[in-house]
């Protein structure tokens, strides 16, 4: 079992309800819990099925150098990148209308 955090934006109420079955909603769209890998994978499957046009990030404790790993779903201004085995986040470049 490991600590897991799920943050949602613009997802349908049915996904929020499904997440609340397994995790505690500590703020609007922010869910936490101590769950097994199997439950985490089942939750992520539900995210893929129900998130529609929303976006979701899931982070969980692992035995890595950073101590955690994460996965994302949907469009967001942040892009996960792997730098020599270390998971980081970079921002998408913003283009102005003149470009």
């Amino acid at each position: 079992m490991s600590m897991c955090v799920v943050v949602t934006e613009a997802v349908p109420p049915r996904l929020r309800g499904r997440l609340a079955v397994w995790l505690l909603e500590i703020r609007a769209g922010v869910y936490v819990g101590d769950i097994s890998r199997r439950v985490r994978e089942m939750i992520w499957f539900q995210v893929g099925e129900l998130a529609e046009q929303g976006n979701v990030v899931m982070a969980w404790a692992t035995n890595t150098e950073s101590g955690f790993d994460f996965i994302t779903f949907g469009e967001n201004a942040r892009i996960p990148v792997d730098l020599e085995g270390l998971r980081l986040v970079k921002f998408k470049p913003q283009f102005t209308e003149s470009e």
Side-chain angles (χ1 to χ4, degrees):
M1 305 251 300
S2 65
M3 177 72 166
C4 180
V5 178
V6 177
V7 180
T8 64
E9 290 183 334
V11 297
R14 68 182 173 275
L15 175 57
R16 294 181 66 179
R18 191 66 58 90
L19 292 171
V21 169
W22 297 101
L23 304 167
L24 177 64
E25 188 173 16
I26 59 172
R27 294 263 191 214
V30 179
Y31 302 83
V32 298
D34 189 25
I35 57 176
S36 69
R37 178 180 179 174
R38 186 175 188 173
V39 171
R40 185 179 74 236
E41 290 171 351
M42 181 275 306
I43 289 171
W44 194 250
F45 176 79
Q46 296 294 313
V47 166
E49 293 291 310
L50 301 174
E52 295 178 0
Q53 300 301 314
N55 68 74
V56 180
V57 62
M58 175 186 278
W60 61 93
T62 63
N63 189 13
T64 61
E65 191 169 329
S66 65
F68 67 93
D69 200 359
F70 66 96
I71 190 168
T72 62
F73 177 89
E75 288 293 317
N76 194 297
R78 293 168 179 86
I79 304 168
V81 294
D82 188 301
L83 182 65
E84 298 180 12
L86 186 61
R87 300 267 297 172
L88 301 172
V89 177
K90 73 175 185 176
F91 285 90
K92 286 183 181 176
Q94 292 190 343
F95 297 101
T96 61
E97 290 184 29
S98 61
E99 292 184 56

